[in-house]
Amino acid sequence: MGLFKKKVPQPAEPPAAPEPEPLTVKEQVREQKRNIDKSIRELDRERMRMEQQEKQLQGQIKKAAKEGHVDAARMIAKDLVRTRKQTQKMYQMRTQLQSVSMQMTSIQSTAAMSQAMAGVVGAMSTMNKQMDLPSMQKIVMEYERENGKMEMTQEMMDDAMDSVMAGDGEEAETDEVINKVFDELGLETGARFGAGGIGAGAPLGQTSANANEADAELDERLAKLTR
């Protein structure tokens, strides 16, 4: 009879809470520095309380000394010495905590630099993988070859132009020198070489006569200059 009883469903177990993510170095340093700053503030409050107690003990010592209670004054003086030593230890502890805080700040800076370097290394690795060295070497070699061809072609063209223009250049320079000499002497170029200029095709007799006249005029001008 009881073989076909309905089974009561069991309540489902609640899902396990997810594990908290580990804190980063920056978060850990921030938390530890917060705890150190809190400890420093507590030490400062305790030190101020001890300094206030030291002043009170100094007053009690003076009062006992005035009243002639030497033994009481000595006991209070011992408490004063202990208080001063405790205050000095607090100063030392505060300095040590500040040093630890500075070291943690340095650790945080080092961690930040490490992360930055990791990013740079990743970027460099990606760029190196994307670079096709054989292709780049081929391009450089082709550039050097074509550049060499262009330089050789330019040199050949320059040599050809120099050989063609050499005669014209010499004639022009020769005319320029002659003209400059005659300008300095105050002579007209036509009086020396005829109206056709240098190298004009004048008759031989006329050219000789003109040359003699020019020579006579040149001698006369030179004689005037030497007087």
Side-chain angles (χ1 to χ4, degrees):
M1 300 294 292
L3 296 177
F4 301 100
K5 289 183 178 180
K6 293 183 179 181
K7 294 182 179 180
V8 179
Q10 298 293 330
E13 296 181 358
E19 296 182 359
E21 296 182 359
L23 298 177
T24 63
V25 176
K26 185 176 181 180
E27 293 173 345
Q28 293 178 6
V29 171
R30 186 187 299 114
E31 183 177 357
Q32 295 300 327
K33 287 187 66 176
R34 189 183 300 112
N35 294 333
I36 291 174
D37 293 339
K38 180 180 179 182
S39 299
I40 289 175
R41 288 193 298 269
E42 292 177 354
L43 282 175
D44 288 339
R45 285 194 295 267
E46 185 65 21
R47 178 179 52 81
M48 293 175 63
R49 189 184 66 80
M50 298 295 288
E51 289 177 350
Q52 187 66 27
Q53 183 177 355
E54 181 180 346
K55 293 179 181 180
Q56 294 177 358
L57 291 173
Q58 288 177 351
Q60 292 177 6
I61 291 172
K62 291 179 181 179
K63 182 179 179 181
K66 289 179 180 179
E67 295 176 354
H69 302 297
V70 180
D71 293 337
R74 289 179 62 85
M75 292 178 64
I76 298 173
K78 289 181 180 181
D79 293 337
L80 178 61
V81 171
R82 296 192 188 97
T83 302
R84 286 179 177 176
K85 289 182 178 180
Q86 189 68 22
T87 303
Q88 187 66 26
K89 289 180 180 180
M90 289 183 180
Y91 273 113
Q92 295 175 355
M93 180 60 68
R94 188 180 191 280
T95 303
Q96 291 178 357
L97 289 176
Q98 286 180 337
S99 177
V100 172
S101 179
M102 292 298 296
Q103 291 177 3
M104 298 188 72
T105 302
S106 177
I107 292 174
Q108 182 178 358
S109 300
T110 304
M113 288 189 294
S114 299
Q115 292 179 357
M117 291 178 64
V120 172
V121 169
M124 293 174 64
S125 177
T126 303
M127 291 297 297
N128 289 331
K129 291 179 181 179
Q130 293 178 357
M131 292 177 65
D132 188 1
L133 292 179
S135 177
M136 294 181 64
Q137 290 177 350
K138 182 179 179 182
I139 292 173
V140 172
M141 292 176 64
E142 290 179 356
Y143 169 79
E144 292 179 351
R145 184 172 60 254
E146 295 300 328
N147 188 41
K149 290 181 179 180
M150 183 177 294
E151 290 179 355
M152 292 178 62
T153 303
Q154 185 65 34
E155 290 179 359
M156 295 174 64
M157 292 179 63
D158 291 340
D159 293 341
M161 294 298 294
D162 291 341
S163 62
V164 171
M165 301 298 293
D168 295 340
E170 290 178 359
E171 292 294 334
E173 291 179 3
T174 302
D175 292 343
E176 183 180 355
V177 171
I178 295 299
N179 291 330
K180 185 176 181 181
V181 171
F182 275 83
D183 289 341
E184 291 177 354
L185 296 176
L187 297 176
E188 294 294 336
T189 307
R192 178 67 180 84
F193 295 98
I198 299 174
L204 180 59
Q206 185 179 356
T207 303
S208 300
N210 291 336
N212 293 331
E213 293 177 0
D215 290 338
E217 184 179 357
L218 177 60
D219 293 337
E220 183 180 356
R221 289 179 179 272
L222 290 174
K224 290 181 180 180
L225 292 174
T226 57
R227 289 176 185 176

PDB file of all heavy atoms in Angstrom, residues 91-108:
ATOM      1  N   TYR A  91      58.179  57.577  19.002  1.00  0.00           N
ATOM      2  CA  TYR A  91      58.787  58.327  17.900  1.00  0.00           C
ATOM      3  C   TYR A  91      59.501  57.381  16.938  1.00  0.00           C
ATOM      4  O   TYR A  91      59.388  57.506  15.708  1.00  0.00           O
ATOM      5  CB  TYR A  91      59.782  59.361  18.458  1.00  0.00           C
ATOM      6  CG  TYR A  91      59.166  60.682  18.827  1.00  0.00           C
ATOM      7  CD1 TYR A  91      59.109  61.098  20.158  1.00  0.00           C
ATOM      8  CD2 TYR A  91      58.652  61.535  17.850  1.00  0.00           C
ATOM      9  CE1 TYR A  91      58.553  62.328  20.501  1.00  0.00           C
ATOM     10  CE2 TYR A  91      58.093  62.760  18.175  1.00  0.00           C
ATOM     11  CZ  TYR A  91      58.051  63.149  19.511  1.00  0.00           C
ATOM     12  OH  TYR A  91      57.493  64.360  19.834  1.00  0.00           O
ATOM     13  N   GLN A  92      60.244  56.435  17.462  1.00  0.00           N
ATOM     14  CA  GLN A  92      60.963  55.482  16.623  1.00  0.00           C
ATOM     15  C   GLN A  92      60.003  54.609  15.816  1.00  0.00           C
ATOM     16  O   GLN A  92      60.227  54.360  14.617  1.00  0.00           O
ATOM     17  CB  GLN A  92      61.868  54.614  17.490  1.00  0.00           C
ATOM     18  CG  GLN A  92      63.000  55.390  18.173  1.00  0.00           C
ATOM     19  CD  GLN A  92      63.804  54.518  19.105  1.00  0.00           C
ATOM     20  OE1 GLN A  92      63.487  53.344  19.325  1.00  0.00           O
ATOM     21  NE2 GLN A  92      64.859  55.079  19.696  1.00  0.00           N
ATOM     22  N   MET A  93      58.935  54.157  16.459  1.00  0.00           N
ATOM     23  CA  MET A  93      57.959  53.323  15.760  1.00  0.00           C
ATOM     24  C   MET A  93      57.284  54.103  14.633  1.00  0.00           C
ATOM     25  O   MET A  93      57.072  53.577  13.533  1.00  0.00           O
ATOM     26  CB  MET A  93      56.915  52.817  16.753  1.00  0.00           C
ATOM     27  CG  MET A  93      55.844  51.935  16.119  1.00  0.00           C
ATOM     28  SD  MET A  93      56.533  50.452  15.329  1.00  0.00           S
ATOM     29  CE  MET A  93      57.117  49.576  16.789  1.00  0.00           C
ATOM     30  N   ARG A  94      57.000  55.365  14.911  1.00  0.00           N
ATOM     31  CA  ARG A  94      56.367  56.186  13.874  1.00  0.00           C
ATOM     32  C   ARG A  94      57.300  56.346  12.671  1.00  0.00           C
ATOM     33  O   ARG A  94      56.873  56.282  11.503  1.00  0.00           O
ATOM     34  CB  ARG A  94      56.022  57.560  14.451  1.00  0.00           C
ATOM     35  CG  ARG A  94      55.190  58.439  13.516  1.00  0.00           C
ATOM     36  CD  ARG A  94      54.900  59.775  14.173  1.00  0.00           C
ATOM     37  NE  ARG A  94      53.908  60.518  13.435  1.00  0.00           N
ATOM     38  CZ  ARG A  94      54.152  61.231  12.324  1.00  0.00           C
ATOM     39  NH1 ARG A  94      55.383  61.256  11.839  1.00  0.00           N
ATOM     40  NH2 ARG A  94      53.175  61.880  11.716  1.00  0.00           N
ATOM     41  N   THR A  95      58.577  56.551  12.926  1.00  0.00           N
ATOM     42  CA  THR A  95      59.552  56.679  11.841  1.00  0.00           C
ATOM     43  C   THR A  95      59.637  55.395  11.029  1.00  0.00           C
ATOM     44  O   THR A  95      59.711  55.418   9.793  1.00  0.00           O
ATOM     45  CB  THR A  95      60.932  57.032  12.417  1.00  0.00           C
ATOM     46  OG1 THR A  95      60.834  58.243  13.180  1.00  0.00           O
ATOM     47  CG2 THR A  95      61.938  57.242  11.293  1.00  0.00           C
ATOM     48  N   GLN A  96      59.621  54.249  11.696  1.00  0.00           N
ATOM     49  CA  GLN A  96      59.682  52.973  10.991  1.00  0.00           C
ATOM     50  C   GLN A  96      58.448  52.755  10.121  1.00  0.00           C
ATOM     51  O   GLN A  96      58.546  52.263   8.984  1.00  0.00           O
ATOM     52  CB  GLN A  96      59.834  51.837  12.000  1.00  0.00           C
ATOM     53  CG  GLN A  96      61.186  51.816  12.692  1.00  0.00           C
ATOM     54  CD  GLN A  96      61.290  50.702  13.712  1.00  0.00           C
ATOM     55  OE1 GLN A  96      60.324  49.957  13.945  1.00  0.00           O
ATOM     56  NE2 GLN A  96      62.452  50.566  14.342  1.00  0.00           N
ATOM     57  N   LEU A  97      57.289  53.117  10.655  1.00  0.00           N
ATOM     58  CA  LEU A  97      56.069  52.957   9.862  1.00  0.00           C
ATOM     59  C   LEU A  97      56.090  53.856   8.622  1.00  0.00           C
ATOM     60  O   LEU A  97      55.650  53.453   7.533  1.00  0.00           O
ATOM     61  CB  LEU A  97      54.845  53.276  10.727  1.00  0.00           C
ATOM     62  CG  LEU A  97      54.509  52.254  11.814  1.00  0.00           C
ATOM     63  CD1 LEU A  97      53.341  52.742  12.661  1.00  0.00           C
ATOM     64  CD2 LEU A  97      54.178  50.895  11.203  1.00  0.00           C
ATOM     65  N   GLN A  98      56.590  55.066   8.786  1.00  0.00           N
ATOM     66  CA  GLN A  98      56.701  55.949   7.623  1.00  0.00           C
ATOM     67  C   GLN A  98      57.657  55.374   6.586  1.00  0.00           C
ATOM     68  O   GLN A  98      57.413  55.465   5.377  1.00  0.00           O
ATOM     69  CB  GLN A  98      57.175  57.329   8.068  1.00  0.00           C
ATOM     70  CG  GLN A  98      56.110  58.143   8.789  1.00  0.00           C
ATOM     71  CD  GLN A  98      56.612  59.504   9.218  1.00  0.00           C
ATOM     72  OE1 GLN A  98      57.818  59.704   9.381  1.00  0.00           O
ATOM     73  NE2 GLN A  98      55.711  60.444   9.418  1.00  0.00           N
ATOM     74  N   SER A  99      58.759  54.748   7.052  1.00  0.00           N
ATOM     75  CA  SER A  99      59.699  54.125   6.130  1.00  0.00           C
ATOM     76  C   SER A  99      59.029  52.970   5.370  1.00  0.00           C
ATOM     77  O   SER A  99      59.219  52.815   4.155  1.00  0.00           O
ATOM     78  CB  SER A  99      60.915  53.617   6.896  1.00  0.00           C
ATOM     79  OG  SER A  99      61.803  52.945   6.039  1.00  0.00           O
ATOM     80  N   VAL A 100      58.241  52.175   6.076  1.00  0.00           N
ATOM     81  CA  VAL A 100      57.534  51.072   5.416  1.00  0.00           C
ATOM     82  C   VAL A 100      56.551  51.607   4.375  1.00  0.00           C
ATOM     83  O   VAL A 100      56.407  51.057   3.270  1.00  0.00           O
ATOM     84  CB  VAL A 100      56.808  50.209   6.459  1.00  0.00           C
ATOM     85  CG1 VAL A 100      55.912  49.180   5.774  1.00  0.00           C
ATOM     86  CG2 VAL A 100      57.811  49.507   7.355  1.00  0.00           C
ATOM     87  N   SER A 101      55.874  52.705   4.719  1.00  0.00           N
ATOM     88  CA  SER A 101      54.926  53.299   3.777  1.00  0.00           C
ATOM     89  C   SER A 101      55.638  53.774   2.511  1.00  0.00           C
ATOM     90  O   SER A 101      55.141  53.577   1.389  1.00  0.00           O
ATOM     91  CB  SER A 101      54.200  54.472   4.439  1.00  0.00           C
ATOM     92  OG  SER A 101      53.293  55.077   3.540  1.00  0.00           O
ATOM     93  N   MET A 102      56.812  54.358   2.673  1.00  0.00           N
ATOM     94  CA  MET A 102      57.568  54.803   1.509  1.00  0.00           C
ATOM     95  C   MET A 102      58.032  53.618   0.672  1.00  0.00           C
ATOM     96  O   MET A 102      58.021  53.663  -0.571  1.00  0.00           O
ATOM     97  CB  MET A 102      58.773  55.627   1.966  1.00  0.00           C
ATOM     98  CG  MET A 102      58.407  56.968   2.588  1.00  0.00           C
ATOM     99  SD  MET A 102      57.555  58.065   1.434  1.00  0.00           S
ATOM    100  CE  MET A 102      58.846  58.293   0.229  1.00  0.00           C
ATOM    101  N   GLN A 103      58.437  52.537   1.324  1.00  0.00           N
ATOM    102  CA  GLN A 103      58.853  51.348   0.578  1.00  0.00           C
ATOM    103  C   GLN A 103      57.691  50.760  -0.221  1.00  0.00           C
ATOM    104  O   GLN A 103      57.875  50.311  -1.368  1.00  0.00           O
ATOM    105  CB  GLN A 103      59.407  50.302   1.545  1.00  0.00           C
ATOM    106  CG  GLN A 103      60.738  50.692   2.180  1.00  0.00           C
ATOM    107  CD  GLN A 103      61.213  49.662   3.176  1.00  0.00           C
ATOM    108  OE1 GLN A 103      60.587  48.626   3.372  1.00  0.00           O
ATOM    109  NE2 GLN A 103      62.340  49.949   3.835  1.00  0.00           N
ATOM    110  N   MET A 104      56.509  50.778   0.362  1.00  0.00           N
ATOM    111  CA  MET A 104      55.348  50.258  -0.356  1.00  0.00           C
ATOM    112  C   MET A 104      55.005  51.146  -1.547  1.00  0.00           C
ATOM    113  O   MET A 104      54.587  50.656  -2.608  1.00  0.00           O
ATOM    114  CB  MET A 104      54.161  50.142   0.594  1.00  0.00           C
ATOM    115  CG  MET A 104      54.397  49.170   1.744  1.00  0.00           C
ATOM    116  SD  MET A 104      52.930  48.872   2.725  1.00  0.00           S
ATOM    117  CE  MET A 104      51.983  47.892   1.609  1.00  0.00           C
ATOM    118  N   THR A 105      55.196  52.450  -1.392  1.00  0.00           N
ATOM    119  CA  THR A 105      54.987  53.348  -2.529  1.00  0.00           C
ATOM    120  C   THR A 105      55.976  53.036  -3.642  1.00  0.00           C
ATOM    121  O   THR A 105      55.623  53.036  -4.831  1.00  0.00           O
ATOM    122  CB  THR A 105      55.141  54.808  -2.080  1.00  0.00           C
ATOM    123  OG1 THR A 105      54.197  55.083  -1.042  1.00  0.00           O
ATOM    124  CG2 THR A 105      54.896  55.757  -3.243  1.00  0.00           C
ATOM    125  N   SER A 106      57.228  52.749  -3.255  1.00  0.00           N
ATOM    126  CA  SER A 106      58.229  52.371  -4.253  1.00  0.00           C
ATOM    127  C   SER A 106      57.848  51.061  -4.957  1.00  0.00           C
ATOM    128  O   SER A 106      58.022  50.925  -6.169  1.00  0.00           O
ATOM    129  CB  SER A 106      59.597  52.233  -3.575  1.00  0.00           C
ATOM    130  OG  SER A 106      60.571  51.809  -4.488  1.00  0.00           O
ATOM    131  N   ILE A 107      57.317  50.111  -4.180  1.00  0.00           N
ATOM    132  CA  ILE A 107      56.876  48.846  -4.783  1.00  0.00           C
ATOM    133  C   ILE A 107      55.751  49.093  -5.784  1.00  0.00           C
ATOM    134  O   ILE A 107      55.717  48.502  -6.872  1.00  0.00           O
ATOM    135  CB  ILE A 107      56.419  47.875  -3.675  1.00  0.00           C
ATOM    136  CG1 ILE A 107      57.626  47.433  -2.835  1.00  0.00           C
ATOM    137  CG2 ILE A 107      55.717  46.658  -4.277  1.00  0.00           C
ATOM    138  CD1 ILE A 107      57.252  46.599  -1.631  1.00  0.00           C
ATOM    139  N   GLN A 108      54.837  49.983  -5.434  1.00  0.00           N
ATOM    140  CA  GLN A 108      53.742  50.297  -6.341  1.00  0.00           C
ATOM    141  C   GLN A 108      54.266  50.917  -7.640  1.00  0.00           C
ATOM    142  O   GLN A 108      53.801  50.572  -8.735  1.00  0.00           O
ATOM    143  CB  GLN A 108      52.766  51.265  -5.659  1.00  0.00           C
ATOM    144  CG  GLN A 108      51.557  51.625  -6.505  1.00  0.00           C
ATOM    145  CD  GLN A 108      50.596  52.538  -5.753  1.00  0.00           C
ATOM    146  OE1 GLN A 108      50.825  52.865  -4.593  1.00  0.00           O
ATOM    147  NE2 GLN A 108      49.550  52.953  -6.425  1.00  0.00           N
TER     148      GLN A 108
END
